[in-house]
């Protein structure tokens, strides 16, 4: 019973290894690498775009592009697909994390969008949940009134998510799922100027090898002034000790090999990456999991887990009333991408 | 004696509860205040509800109003099922009804938050300022009152009036709260795949106890079925298996008096209480054994009145020994604390009783070991049932309503499934922590006072006298309703300083007292979540209002918008941004 309670510190939903193909490393970033990546991506998307536009929602990931998804990871999460909604099971810590991340997202969005709808605070907002898994975060956001699209490359997870959301009639119109990757989605979206008010990528970034693509795609699908919410794990000695050694090897809570310490990213680096992609980071806050109580809490230290909120800058540098959040001045970096 | 029947289910939709509705004539008593937070499929019409409340008595209706008026639950559909008829009271009847309750100030605050208290005060309610409790076997007495008799201690309100006021409020909430009268839950079913699904059936095979008042206390036998593990105590007489009964009546006093004291005397057979209703009438609650109760009901009116008067006035139970011991003890105490204690008063004498107003109802005590199950929560008498000697039964129920509404509101604001077990567990923990000590204390008092064996009498009379004289003990024992729930007003100022100004403005506007005085009654201030104020900690924020405040706990309080919050005078809340700065979100809980 307690072993269940000892839950997960760190959780991955899926992983994508795009870097292997083009050899872009994550230890630093350079403009050339970004441009090269973008060119490659555009080339790739060019050849898949035509079939993409005619194929409806449920595209199998594997048929589209083997290179962006690691089959091992997909297989691992396929086997766990039915366990998403067992609140005392493997994903207990993720369920508990909702107590932090839902208010985090909700309140930061309410800061920006000030019209109040009692009972449905996020009504009228479109949110994209990247790496939604079983829909653990998608459903609460849907219940708060937002229109949420959850995407995940693992089809079984998406199936579980759809089944579970069908139980609640409230969610029918507002929550839908698609089994695809972010790149595929942003390829479709590129024609319009970004459709989503917010993108949520919770416990996803530590499974990506290529973050520039991720950041670029997020930027594409977001409306100007839209919000990006990321929760992930820091790259420190402490996170290695607790997240890898303790969780994976000592207590075997997380299967060995789920996390790769090299893929963790520190908030400073993530901030730098996002700002180079046209985001302005508004806040970073550390999270801490207590395995005994099975609950998360906010903390000052970002040494292990942290949550980050960034806002996509508008093209013109004048501050928009919808973007006021007061604490940080807008960083009016010149737009570096068209 | 009753077993839970487990049966297989027919699944309509997973995650829904199927409720079969039957329209029955109301002889059987429905569960009172049973809250099911789930979706229900009405088999006839396929309607889905978010919360279903089974039992429309005082507590059940208050729950429905409270949920219906909560802004975070706007858009949710709520259903209240009541077995009886709709209680409409266009004008208050001349005669008093026999079932009355003592409403504590905390419950009154809750009721005013949902808008029912004004109705009640407009109709009929009697505040009382003092309560005298004394022993039949000795001279010991204790009085409870507020300082200088300025504030009311509590209110005596007829149960029918409370229900009528709540019904009127429910009428105004008809968009999201639907009430079905003359309908009763026969069966609950839970879908199969979920691990903790059980079937609870209150099927037609079960015979209920005949009751004269259909909306009153729950039939305790039923709860063993519902819960499986409920602790049930009747109060049996030593000789037999008959439970104790309470005889209630409306008394006409011999002369009009400023009737603002509640009287209770502990006789060896059980406590007798006289609760003021008006200047000329009072309500009687006499708890005693079954046999005596029957005898009392059979007496003619004059003898019954004599019995009441002698119960209050006679000293036949006192022995010399106890009298002397008592007076010696009192002398000692008054030497130590000359100004403590209070003079003895005698209750008014009774001249007659209201016509046809003498009835009896069985007493019991019971406590459900679990208040919650998957998608089910018990509130009110369904969860706990107490002896009326402390006047707390319905107040505990209103406390449940306040707590559960707050938790459900918070859950809805966090996008959670309302029936999720996590916040139901919080409700259970919090209420059990509050209710169990109270119930234990009441039961202890009952047992302590049901004998006239000399050592016990001496012990309890010393205890009572000491408590009467020592102020701290008295305060602790009189803080019957400790935590009051305050409705809070949602406002949205933009900046930190504006918040404080706004807070001050609102508070002074609503109560016509300066803010410092307003908050001086408050000893605790609750903050929601973890916030960093621009450069200042929550404690600094709190200390701006009163140096006595400290941040003791973080709890979310649902917001109640609208002018009603201003009526009760306090409770203010601003919206908060999550992590950064500016405004804070706080709710004010007075602990008096």
């Amino acid at each position: 019973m307690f072993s269940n309670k000892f839950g997960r510190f760190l959780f991955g939903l899926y992983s994508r290894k795009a870097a292997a193909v083009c050899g872009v490393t994550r230890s630093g970033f350079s403009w050339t690498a970004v441009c090269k990546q973008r060119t490659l991506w555009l080339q790739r998307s060019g050849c898949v775009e035509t079939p993409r536009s005619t194929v409806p929602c449920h595209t199998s990931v594997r048929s589209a592009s083997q290179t962006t998804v690691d089959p091992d990871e997909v297989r691992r999460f396929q086997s766990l697909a039915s366990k998403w909604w067992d609140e005392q099971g493997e994903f207990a810590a993720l369920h508990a994390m909702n107590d932090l991340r839902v208010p985090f997202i909700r309140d930061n969005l309410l800061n920006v969008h000030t019209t109040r709808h009692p009972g449905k605070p996020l009504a009228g907002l479109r949110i994209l949940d990247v790496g939604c898994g079983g829909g653990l975060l998608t459903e609460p956001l849907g219940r708060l009134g937002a229109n949420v699209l959850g995407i995940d490359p693992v089809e079984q997870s998406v199936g579980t998510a759809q089944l579970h959301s069908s139980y609640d009639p409230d969610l029918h119109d507002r929550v839908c799922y698609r089994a695809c990757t972010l790149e595929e989605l942003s390829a479709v979206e590129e024609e319009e100027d970004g459709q989503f008010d917010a993108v949520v990528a919770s416990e996803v970034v530590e499974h990506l090898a290529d973050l520039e693509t991720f950041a670029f795609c997020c930027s594409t699908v977001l409306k100007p002034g839209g919000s990006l919410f990321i929760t992930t794990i820091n790259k420190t000695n402490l996170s290695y000790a607790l997240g890898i050694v303790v969780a994976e090897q000592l207590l075997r809570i997380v299967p060995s090999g789920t996390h790769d310490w090299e893929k963790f990213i520190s908030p400073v680096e993530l901030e730098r990456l996002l700002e180079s992609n046209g985001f302005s980071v508004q806040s970073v806050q550390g999270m801490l999991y207590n395995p005994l109580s099975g609950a998360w809490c906010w903390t000052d230290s970002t040494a292990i887990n942290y949550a980050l909120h960034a806002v996509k800058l508008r093209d013109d540098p004048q501050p928009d009333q919808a973007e006021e959040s007061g604490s940080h001045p807008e960083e009016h970096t010149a737009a570096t991408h068209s | 004696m009753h077993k839970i029947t487990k049966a297989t289910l027919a699944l309509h939709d997973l995650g829904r509860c199927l409720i079969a509705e039957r329209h029955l004539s109301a002889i059987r008593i429905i569960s009172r205040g049973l809250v099911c937070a789930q979706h229900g499929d009405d088999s006839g019409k396929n309607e889905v509800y978010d919360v279903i409340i089974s039992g429309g008595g005082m507590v059940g209706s208050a729950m429905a109003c409270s949920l219906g008026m909560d802004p975070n639950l706007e858009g949710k559909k709520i259903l209240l099922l009541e077995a009886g008829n709709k209680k409409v009271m266009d004008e208050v009847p001349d005669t008093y009804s026999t079932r009355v309750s003592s409403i504590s100030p905390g419950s009154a605050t809750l009721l005013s938050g949902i808008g029912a208290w004004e109705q009640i005060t407009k109709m009929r309610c009697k505040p009382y300022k003092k309560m005298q409790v004394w022993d039949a076997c000795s001279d010991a007495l204790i009085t409870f009152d507020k300082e200088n008799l300025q504030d009311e201690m509590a209110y005596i309100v007829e149960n029918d009036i409370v229900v009528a006021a709540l019904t009127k409020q429910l009428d105004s909430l008809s968009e999201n709260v639907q009430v079905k009268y003359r309908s009763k839950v026969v069966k609950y079913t839970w879908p199969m795949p979920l691990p903790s699904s059980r079937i609870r059936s209150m099927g037609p095979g079960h015979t209920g106890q005949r009751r004269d008042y259909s909306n009153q206390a729950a039939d305790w036998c039923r709860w063993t079925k519902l819960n499986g593990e409920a602790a049930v105590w009747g109060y049996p007489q030593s000789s037999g298996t008959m439970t104790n009964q309470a005889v209630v009546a409306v008394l006409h006093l011999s002369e009009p008096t400023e009737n603002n004291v509640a009287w209770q005397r502990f006789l060896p057979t059980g406590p007798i209480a006289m609760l003021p209703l008006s200047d000329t009438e009072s309500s009687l609650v006499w708890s005693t054994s079954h046999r005596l109760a029957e005898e009392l009901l059979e007496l003619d009116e004059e003898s019954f009145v004599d019995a009441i008067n002698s119960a209050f006035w006679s000293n036949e139970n006192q022995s010399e020994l106890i009298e002397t011991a008592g007076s010696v003890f009192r002398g000692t105490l008054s030497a130590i604390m000359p100004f403590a204690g209070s003079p003895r008063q005698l209750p008014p004498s009774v001249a007659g009783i209201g016509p046809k107003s003498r009835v009896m109802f069985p007493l019991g005590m019971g406590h459900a070991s679990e208040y919650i199950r998957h998608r089910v929560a018990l509130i009110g008498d369904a969860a706990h049932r107490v002896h009326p000697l402390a006047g707390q039964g319905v107040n505990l129920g209103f406390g449940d309503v306040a707590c559960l509404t707050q938790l459900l509101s918070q859950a809805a604001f966090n996008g959670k499934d309302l029936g999720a077990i996590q916040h139901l567990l919080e409700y259970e923990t919090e209420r059990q922590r509050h209710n169990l000590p109270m119930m234990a204390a009441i039961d202890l008092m009952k047992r302590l006072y049901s004998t006239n064996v000399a050592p016990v009498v001496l012990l309890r009379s010393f205890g009572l006298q000491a408590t009467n004289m020592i102020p701290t003990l008295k305060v602790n024992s009189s803080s019957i309703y400790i935590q009051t729930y305050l409705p809070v007003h949602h406002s949205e100022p933009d900046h930190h300083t504006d918040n404080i100004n706004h807070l001050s403005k609102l508070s002074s506007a609503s109560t016509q007292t300066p803010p410092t005085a307003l908050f001086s009654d408050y000893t605790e201030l609750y903050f929601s979540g973890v916030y960093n104020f621009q450069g200042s900690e929550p404690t600094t924020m709190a200390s701006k209002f009163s140096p006595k405040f400290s941040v003791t706990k973080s709890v979310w309080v649902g917001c109640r918008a609208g002018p009603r919050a201003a009526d009760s005078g306090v409770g203010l809340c601003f919206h908060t941004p999550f992590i950064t700065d500016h405004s804070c979100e706080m709710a004010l809980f007075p602990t008096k």
Side-chain angles (χ1 to χ4, degrees):
Chain A
M1 162 80 142
F2 238 120
S3 61
N4 278 346
K5 261 263 167 143
F6 265 98
R8 315 304 194 204
F9 269 66
L10 322 155
F11 238 90
L13 301 179
Y14 70 94
S15 84
R16 298 183 304 168
K17 287 188 192 146
V21 178
C22 39
V24 176
T25 63
R26 281 179 59 251
S27 50
F29 94 100
S30 62
W31 283 114
T32 45
V34 171
C35 295
K36 194 164 114 189
Q37 180 57 28
R38 206 157 286 142
T39 333
L40 277 172
W41 181 90
L42 282 171
Q43 284 172 357
R44 226 185 302 136
S45 69
C47 54
V48 300
E49 196 164 43
T50 335
R52 187 63 48 240
S53 52
T54 54
V55 171
C57 288
H58 297 276
T59 315
S60 166
V61 158
R62 268 165 279 194
S63 63
S65 42
Q66 282 97 347
T67 52
T68 56
V69 178
D70 182 3
D72 289 334
E73 291 285 347
V74 170
R75 221 175 293 125
R76 186 180 303 139
F77 283 100
Q78 275 167 359
S79 66
L80 291 173
S82 56
K83 304 201 182 139
W84 280 106
W85 285 97
D86 181 5
E87 290 185 27
Q88 265 77 45
E90 280 100 351
F91 297 107
L94 271 187
H95 279 276
M97 205 197 276
N98 273 346
D99 290 338
L100 291 193
R101 33 185 198 173
V102 174
F104 179 63
I105 296 169
R106 175 198 74 209
D107 287 340
N108 280 306
L109 285 177
L110 284 178
N111 256 349
V112 175
H113 304 267
T114 47
T115 48
R116 295 275 174 265
H117 309 267
K120 301 248 174 290
L122 300 181
L125 298 180
R126 279 200 71 199
I127 302 183
L128 173 69
D129 185 4
V130 180
C132 61
L136 266 63
L137 184 52
T138 324
E139 282 198 14
L141 293 176
R143 271 195 208 100
L144 289 177
N147 285 304
V148 195
L149 170 67
I151 63 172
D152 197 282
V154 180
E155 262 191 63
Q156 281 80 355
S157 301
V158 170
T160 308
Q162 274 169 332
L163 179 63
H164 195 271
S165 74
S166 68
Y167 297 166
D168 189 341
D170 240 2
L171 298 176
H172 269 165
D173 317 317
R174 291 202 292 267
V175 171
C176 62
Y177 295 97
R178 225 186 268 184
C180 65
T181 66
L182 180 60
E183 293 125 40
E184 290 160 14
L185 188 74
S186 65
V188 177
E189 299 287 343
E190 188 164 313
E191 297 93 48
E192 301 107 23
D193 188 23
Q195 286 298 304
F196 293 100
D197 294 288
V199 170
V200 175
S202 179
E203 306 303 306
V204 160
V205 163
E206 66 264 23
H207 290 264
L208 304 179
D210 179 15
L211 286 182
E212 281 86 7
T213 313
F214 169 76
F216 177 70
C217 296
C218 287
S219 180
T220 314
V221 302
L222 267 180
K223 288 181 186 165
S227 292
L228 172 64
F229 297 96
I230 294 179
T231 75
T232 185
I233 309 165
N234 201 345
K235 187 174 180 179
T236 61
N237 293 329
L238 192 60
S239 71
Y240 182 77
L242 293 176
I244 309 275
V245 176
V246 170
E248 286 188 21
Q249 278 143 29
L250 283 183
L251 298 175
R252 309 224 179 253
I253 302 166
V254 180
S256 198
T258 301
H259 288 119
D260 180 4
W261 188 75
E262 293 299 327
K263 292 191 201 160
F264 292 170
I265 184 171
S266 73
V268 174
E269 267 191 56
L270 186 57
E271 192 168 331
R272 214 183 317 149
L273 169 70
L274 290 176
E275 282 171 11
S276 72
N277 276 290
F279 286 95
S280 157
V281 173
Q282 300 296 310
S283 63
V284 178
Q285 188 80 354
M287 307 193 288
L288 187 64
Y289 181 65
N290 180 353
L292 295 174
S293 66
W296 291 82
C297 61
W298 294 106
T299 178
D300 288 330
S301 148
T302 57
I304 314 172
N305 295 71
Y306 63 93
L308 179 145
H309 170 221
V311 165
K312 174 177 171 181
L313 294 170
R314 297 170 177 265
D315 286 336
D316 45 353
Q318 65 203 25
D320 190 359
Q321 70 197 14
E323 258 182 17
E324 56 90 52
S325 63
S327 60
H328 303 265
E330 291 282 340
E331 288 169 274
H332 299 299
T333 54
T336 53
H337 59 280
S338 55
Chain B
M1 67 180 153
H2 300 276
K3 291 197 291 233
I4 299 205
T5 52
K6 291 189 193 190
T8 50
L9 294 168
L11 282 177
H12 276 228
D13 286 302
L14 294 174
R16 306 257 165 84
C17 161
L18 175 70
I19 293 192
E21 275 189 27
R22 304 274 182 270
H23 293 265
L24 299 175
S25 59
I27 293 186
R28 304 234 308 272
I29 313 307
I30 196 170
S31 60
R32 179 189 183 189
L34 174 68
V35 176
C36 312
Q38 58 207 322
H39 294 104
D41 256 342
D42 182 336
S43 53
K45 304 160 216 160
N46 277 332
E47 279 177 51
V48 173
Y49 298 97
D50 291 287
V51 182
I52 299 171
I53 302 170
S54 174
M58 289 193 279
V59 177
S61 312
M63 187 84 212
C65 278
S66 187
L67 290 177
M69 295 176 70
D70 192 289
N72 285 332
L73 294 171
E74 195 160 318
K76 305 268 190 258
K77 293 177 69 182
I78 299 162
L79 173 67
L80 175 65
L81 297 171
E82 163 57 29
N85 291 314
K86 184 165 177 173
K87 287 225 166 21
V88 181
M89 202 183 269
D90 292 320
E91 27 173 82
V92 182
D94 291 329
T95 53
Y96 285 86
S97 67
T98 39
R99 294 305 308 275
V100 301
S101 301
S102 168
I103 308 281
S104 69
S107 304
T109 311
L110 169 72
L111 288 173
S112 80
I114 59 184
W117 188 244
E118 318 151 38
Q119 317 271 357
I120 292 175
T121 44
K122 260 189 274 179
M123 285 197 259
R124 189 156 63 195
C125 89
K126 177 73 179 150
Y128 63 94
K129 301 194 175 160
K130 193 168 124 174
M131 179 168 184
Q132 179 173 301
V133 178
W134 73 111
D135 201 342
C137 302
S138 77
D139 259 352
L141 80 85
I142 182 170
T143 57
F144 298 106
D145 54 29
K146 290 277 169 76
E147 300 275 314
N148 301 325
L149 294 180
Q150 287 303 324
D151 291 332
E152 285 93 28
M153 222 182 102
Y155 306 85
I156 302 289
V157 189
E158 294 149 80
N159 293 358
D160 286 342
I161 288 193
V162 177
V163 176
L166 288 169
T167 308
K168 210 157 164 194
Q169 272 309 104
L170 284 174
D171 285 341
S172 71
L173 289 173
S174 47
E175 324 79 64
N176 37 350
V177 182
Q178 197 184 345
V179 190
K180 294 202 182 184
Y181 292 99
R182 298 177 62 74
S183 49
K184 187 172 166 187
V185 176
V186 174
K187 195 164 125 174
Y188 298 98
T189 59
W190 274 263
M192 197 56 112
L194 294 155
S196 57
S197 61
R198 314 268 306 264
I199 310 300
R200 287 126 176 94
S201 81
M202 291 156 36
H206 176 80
T207 52
Q209 253 174 306
R210 250 206 85 221
R211 206 55 67 90
D212 297 305
Y213 304 91
S214 61
N215 287 340
Q216 307 303 336
D219 179 352
W220 200 234
C221 305
R222 269 168 213 270
W223 311 131
T224 56
K225 247 194 175 180
L226 194 64
N227 292 313
E229 310 109 39
V232 180
W233 291 263
Y235 283 119
Q237 240 185 333
S238 48
S239 56
T241 53
M242 298 295 225
T243 59
N244 279 10
Q245 306 277 338
V247 176
V248 285
V250 174
L251 309 172
H252 294 297
L253 305 176
S254 18
E255 52 194 31
T257 158
E258 196 193 341
N259 201 2
N260 56 8
V261 183
W263 311 94
Q264 175 153 287
R265 192 179 200 194
F266 283 104
L267 306 171
T269 52
I272 178 170
M274 192 190 303
L275 308 170
L277 289 176
S278 74
D279 286 344
T280 51
E281 292 183 45
S282 288
S283 172
L284 171 80
V285 183
W286 190 344
S287 324
T288 178
S289 65
H290 188 93
R291 187 176 50 86
L292 272 177
E294 279 180 346
E295 280 179 24
L296 284 170
L297 286 186
E298 275 153 29
L299 291 175
D300 64 348
E301 187 173 320
E302 264 194 55
S303 336
F304 184 64
V305 169
D306 287 339
I308 297 174
N309 281 325
S310 77
F312 274 114
W313 291 61
S314 88
N315 285 334
E316 61 190 10
N317 280 316
Q318 295 182 9
S319 69
E320 288 262 351
L321 164 69
I322 297 195
E323 267 188 59
T324 9
S327 54
V328 165
F329 189 66
R330 212 175 14 256
T332 333
L333 275 184
S334 47
I336 305 173
M337 281 175 294
F339 298 112
S342 31
R344 168 190 296 276
Q345 280 181 280
L346 282 172
S349 67
V350 180
I353 60 174
K356 292 202 194 113
S357 71
R358 231 193 305 176
V359 279
M360 75 179 190
F361 65 93
L363 297 178
M365 180 179 127
H367 188 253
S369 55
E370 292 174 337
Y371 285 4
I372 59 151
R373 281 286 165 81
H374 181 66
R375 295 191 178 282
V376 178
L378 298 182
I379 62 174
D381 276 6
H384 43 73
R385 192 178 166 207
V386 295
H387 196 281
L389 68 85
Q392 288 311 303
V394 80
N395 294 314
L396 293 179
F398 284 135
D400 293 346
V401 167
C403 177
L404 189 58
T405 310
Q406 170 191 327
L407 286 169
L408 286 179
S409 176
Q410 179 178 3
F413 196 57
N414 286 340
K416 290 198 204 157
D417 180 7
L418 284 182
I421 205 107
Q422 183 192 4
H423 48 270
L424 292 183
L425 263 177
E426 261 185 66
Y427 157 74
E428 182 186 62
T429 317
E430 188 172 325
R431 290 313 295 172
Q432 285 196 337
R433 270 194 207 141
H434 182 270
N435 294 342
L436 276 172
M438 171 71 65
M439 295 177 65
I442 294 176
D443 195 44
L444 174 68
M445 289 248 281
K446 168 82 185 59
R447 289 174 198 279
L448 194 61
Y449 279 93
S450 24
T451 105
N452 51 1
V453 167
V456 180
V457 174
L458 276 175
L459 176 71
R460 76 193 186 205
S461 57
F462 290 166
L464 201 58
Q465 283 172 345
T467 312
N468 194 25
M469 299 217 165
I470 302 175
T472 41
L473 277 184
K474 192 164 161 182
V475 163
N476 285 338
S477 59
S478 76
S479 61
I480 293 175
Y481 201 96
I482 300 171
Q483 194 180 54
T484 52
Y485 173 73
L486 270 190
V488 288
H489 176 67
H490 191 121
S491 69
E492 299 167 26
D494 290 318
H495 296 100
H496 188 54
T497 43
D498 282 356
N499 287 349
I500 304 210
N501 294 337
H502 195 66
L503 177 70
S504 319
K505 252 192 291 182
L506 272 177
S507 58
S508 54
S510 57
T511 62
Q512 287 110 36
T513 58
T516 45
L518 179 71
F519 295 118
S520 63
D521 286 342
Y522 294 75
T523 55
E524 289 176 51
L525 183 69
Y526 288 79
F527 278 87
S528 150
V530 175
Y531 298 108
N532 295 320
F533 303 98
Q534 206 163 23
S536 56
E537 290 295 319
T539 42
T540 320
M541 184 72 188
S543 65
K544 283 191 202 304
F545 296 104
S546 162
K548 289 190 294 185
F549 289 159
S550 61
V551 179
T552 53
K553 188 173 131 181
S554 298
V555 66
W556 165 270
V557 172
C559 303
R560 293 180 192 275
R564 270 184 211 96
D567 288 344
S568 60
V570 285
L572 300 156
C573 152
F574 340 81
H575 179 65
T576 172
F578 184 79
I579 282 172
T580 50
D581 51 347
H582 323 320
S583 39
C584 68
E585 196 151 32
M586 57 185 184
L588 302 176
F589 284 83
T591 47
K592 290 196 193 185

